[in-house]
């Protein structure tokens, strides 16, 4: 099977959401939404990749594919849990009520229903798609609870005394909401409660993820229709520091949110615990066109999620930082990706192969105009909020991971991150206003 390093990319054709992210039996397992028949969105399957260290990944082929009435038109997003040494996947199955006669991989006018399914594996690699699937939450029938069509993406976790599951949904396609369920045995689930904010937070909440950190609880959401600025990607991933009460499944969601990533290209994040117990996150990088080699879709580097004083940090995972271990003078010395570190003064600018990074006061601004396709609604300029953690000498520290189709800019050790899909980078760096710069290649 195909092996990849540093960034997990589509093995071929199309991928999107990360699914079933888990550390299980000595390996990180990352499943993903996969259309194996072409480089475009279609009937969803689950691809599967594994890694010992979050750095080197091996694709293992298909894990899930449609076989039942409930998932006959796609095995959509979900998550994983270990119980009794076995690996369980929960996911959304979709059944089209009216298939598009021009394209059997799509439906007409969103006429479909969604159910939540469970499947178990003894070893994490082999799944009985023909006989092993079980519907655990049927399509929602009570409109006061959620939506029969748009209820999806179960994230499961073990609480103090039971299993819990969060689903994304919508109330009449007016505002997004999350639904909470509880189970004693993974098979029988009871709806307990819901939470929402209002229309200004998007009409649908998908790919929800709730988890605890040492600094408090966090809720991740991918909010559909959040932005109304004329850009193509109206759907955006956001995060909140929250307080969750397990007994009632009630959650306190504040009014203010952070973007998951200020490049606004990342979507559908999912988290798990790593081998050392750190909460880590990865997400889908939305790409506007097929990359060289005929594939489209990749994932950002795994990030450690921490909460400090109500602010959510997304820090570079130590394994990723360690992988870039060879100091080099310039990127031309390596054919693979590299890590560049800078201490940038106010007004300073870095040009990474045509991708511009500028410091304007306490903000970092990026511009990918020269290395991104031109189309109506393209998002070209990204900007962080004000940063509060400048170095004593007045500089702002940046760690920048550069790959052929992705740049990740970590600002002040993950206080903010800007990730940008890119095309056609040159292999050079120019910097003005840098007090210090260092470049590292991955040792392989």
């Amino acid at each position: 099977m195909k092996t990849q390093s540093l960034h997990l990319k589509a093995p071929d054709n199309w991928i999107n959401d990360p699914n079933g992210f888990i550390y299980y039996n000595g390996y990180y397992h990352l499943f993903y939404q996969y259309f194996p028949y072409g480089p475009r969105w279609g009937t969803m399957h689950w691809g599967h990749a594994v890694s010992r260290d979050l750095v080197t990944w091996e694709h293992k082929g298909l894990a899930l594919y449609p076989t039942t009435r409930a998932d006959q038109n796609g095995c959509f997003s979900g998550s994983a849990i270990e119980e009794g040494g076995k690996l369980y996947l929960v996911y959304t199955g979709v059944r089209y009520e009216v298939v598009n006669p021009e394209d059997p991989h799509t439906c007409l006018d969103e006429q479909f229903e969604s159910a939540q399914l469970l499947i178990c594996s003894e070893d994490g690699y082999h799944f009985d798609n023909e006989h092993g699937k079980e519907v655990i939450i049927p399509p929602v029938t009570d409109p006061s609870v959620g939506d029969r069509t748009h209820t999806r993406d179960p994230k499961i976790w073990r609480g103090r005394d039971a299993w819990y599951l969060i689903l994304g949904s919508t109330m009449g396609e007016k505002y997004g909401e999350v639904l909470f369920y509880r189970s004693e045995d993974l098979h029988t689930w009871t709806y307990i409660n819901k939470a929402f904010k209002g229309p200004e937070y998007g009409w649908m909440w998908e790919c929800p993820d709730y988890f605890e950190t040492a600094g408090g609880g966090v809720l991740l959401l991918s909010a559909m229709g959040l932005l109304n600025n004329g850009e193509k990607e109206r759907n955006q991933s956001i995060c909140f520091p929250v307080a969750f009460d397990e007994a009632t499944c009630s959650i306190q969601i504040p009014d203010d949110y952070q973007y998951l990533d200020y490049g606004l290209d990342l979507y559908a994040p999912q988290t798990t615990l790593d081998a050392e117990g750190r909460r880590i996150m990865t997400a889908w990088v939305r790409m506007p066109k097929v990359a060289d080699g005929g594939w489209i879709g990749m994932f950002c580097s795994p990030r450690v999620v921490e909460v400090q004083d109500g602010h959510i940090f997304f820090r570079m995972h130590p394994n990723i930082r360690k992988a870039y271990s060879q100091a080099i003078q310039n990127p031309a010395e390596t054919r693979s990706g590299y890590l560049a570190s800078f201490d940038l003064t106010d007004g300073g600018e870095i040009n990474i192969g045509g991708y511009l990074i500028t410091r304007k006061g306490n903000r970092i601004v990026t511009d990918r105009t020269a290395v991104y396709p031109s189309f109506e609604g393209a998002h070209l300029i990204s900007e962080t909020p004000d940063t509060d953690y400048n170095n004593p000498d007045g500089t702002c520290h940046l760690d920048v991971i550069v790959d052929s189709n992705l740049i990740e800019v970590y600002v002040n050790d993950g206080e903010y991150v800007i990730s940008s899909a890119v095309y056609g980078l040159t292999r050079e760096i120019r910097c003005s206003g840098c007090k210090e710069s260092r470049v590292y290649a991955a040792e392989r």
Side-chain angles (χ1 to χ4, degrees):
M1 291 292 179
K2 183 179 293 187
T3 300
Q4 297 173 341
S5 294
L6 300 172
H7 287 113
L8 183 61
K9 304 173 183 178
D12 51 43
N13 297 310
W14 168 282
I15 67 172
N16 53 289
D17 302 7
N19 298 148
F21 194 19
I22 191 171
Y23 184 69
Y24 172 75
N25 284 350
Y27 284 87
Y28 294 95
H29 292 252
L30 183 57
F31 302 85
Y32 49 83
Q33 295 285 274
Y34 179 44
F35 184 64
Y37 309 123
R40 57 103 169 183
W41 189 95
T43 302
M44 284 295 111
H45 300 52
W46 277 33
H48 185 196
V50 298
S51 174
R52 282 282 194 185
D53 58 5
L54 297 170
V55 175
T56 300
W57 293 89
E58 182 181 5
H59 288 280
K60 306 300 289 187
L62 287 179
L64 302 184
Y65 51 88
T67 56
T68 71
R69 183 178 188 273
D71 70 359
Q72 66 186 30
N73 296 109
C75 302
F76 283 76
S77 291
S79 55
I81 200 76
E82 179 182 359
E83 169 65 0
K86 300 178 183 180
L87 182 66
Y88 290 82
L89 303 180
V90 292
Y91 69 97
T92 298
V94 164
R95 183 183 70 84
Y96 292 160
E97 296 168 312
V98 182
V99 176
N100 183 350
E102 302 300 323
D103 179 2
H105 295 293
T106 61
C107 70
L108 288 181
D109 302 322
E110 296 193 337
Q111 297 180 77
F112 65 91
E113 67 175 15
S114 301
Q116 316 311 318
L117 287 81
L118 174 75
I119 190 170
C120 177
S121 171
E122 296 284 342
D123 61 2
Y125 294 91
H126 300 91
F127 297 88
D128 184 358
N129 280 272
E130 300 299 328
H131 307 290
K133 296 174 178 176
E134 173 189 357
V135 174
I136 55 171
I137 301 176
V140 175
T141 57
D142 184 349
S144 68
V145 171
D147 192 82
R148 185 177 65 90
T149 297
H150 295 293
T151 297
R152 53 180 173 265
D153 311 333
K155 180 66 191 294
I156 188 172
W157 73 94
R158 178 68 188 180
R160 288 186 297 273
D161 59 356
W163 298 98
Y164 293 85
L165 183 150
I166 185 174
L167 281 170
S169 191
T170 177
M171 183 51 60
E173 300 189 13
K174 296 177 181 178
Y175 56 85
E177 61 180 9
V178 289
L179 312 179
F180 292 99
Y181 291 75
R182 181 186 292 130
S183 174
E184 301 294 333
D185 61 4
L186 290 176
H187 300 282
T188 301
W189 291 85
T190 302
Y191 166 73
I192 304 297
N193 210 341
K194 63 162 43 179
F196 53 88
K197 290 296 293 181
E200 64 272 28
Y201 295 85
W203 70 268
M204 163 71 191
W205 286 353
E206 54 184 355
C207 300
D209 192 347
Y210 165 76
F211 53 88
E212 289 288 334
T213 74
V218 175
L219 178 66
L220 305 183
L221 298 170
S222 292
M224 302 185 71
L226 180 71
L227 300 185
N228 294 289
N229 58 5
E231 293 184 353
K232 175 180 180 292
E233 302 295 358
R234 298 183 61 206
N235 306 337
Q236 290 295 334
S237 293
I238 56 178
C239 50
F240 302 84
V242 295
F244 178 71
D245 179 70
E246 200 171 271
T248 60
C249 284
S250 58
I251 193 167
Q252 298 176 25
I253 306 175
D255 293 338
D256 295 332
Y257 59 82
Q258 294 174 221
Y259 288 110
L260 177 83
D261 184 289
Y262 285 79
L264 304 186
D265 278 357
L266 296 193
Y267 200 68
Q270 189 166 111
T271 72
T272 191
L273 295 176
D274 72 3
E276 286 71 40
R278 292 173 291 229
R279 178 62 57 171
I280 60 172
M281 181 278 295
T282 191
W284 168 42
V285 180
R286 296 186 286 200
M287 301 171 65
K289 71 173 186 177
V290 176
D292 292 342
W295 59 273
I296 184 168
M298 61 187 296
F299 301 119
C300 70
S301 298
R303 301 170 186 178
V304 178
V305 187
E306 297 179 353
V307 180
Q308 294 182 6
D309 299 324
H311 183 82
I312 304 168
F313 287 73
F314 295 92
R315 305 189 191 277
M316 188 185 305
H317 193 279
N319 291 13
I320 301 300
R321 188 179 294 275
K322 183 180 178 182
Y324 295 98
S325 56
Q326 289 185 324
I328 58 176
Q329 294 300 310
N330 63 72
E333 297 179 35
T334 177
R335 293 185 178 181
S336 61
Y338 59 92
L339 167 65
S341 295
F342 308 92
D343 292 329
L344 195 60
T345 60
D346 189 9
E349 181 178 89
I350 308 162
N351 186 327
I352 298 180
Y355 181 87
L356 302 180
I357 306 171
T358 306
R359 179 176 168 189
K360 298 182 177 180
N362 286 333
R363 299 190 174 206
I364 298 298
V365 180
T366 65
D367 183 348
R368 61 176 170 184
T369 303
V371 289
Y372 195 73
S374 177
F375 59 89
E376 185 177 357
H379 177 74
L380 301 174
I381 312 296
S382 297
E383 182 175 347
T384 69
D386 285 342
T387 61
D388 297 325
Y389 301 96
N390 287 328
N391 294 328
D393 62 358
T395 62
C396 177
H397 184 73
L398 306 179
D399 291 306
V400 184
I401 296 178
V402 184
D403 203 342
S404 56
N405 289 103
L406 176 64
I407 292 181
E408 299 172 280
V409 182
Y410 290 80
V411 180
N412 290 327
D413 192 26
E415 181 188 358
Y416 301 107
V417 189
I418 296 177
S419 301
S420 304
V422 293
Y423 296 79
L425 290 173
T426 63
R427 302 191 68 79
E428 61 179 345
I429 297 176
R430 297 192 304 272
C431 184
S432 62
C434 294
K435 286 200 171 182
E436 188 173 354
S437 62
R438 299 160 298 280
V439 182
Y440 303 91
E443 185 175 7
R444 283 289 175 266

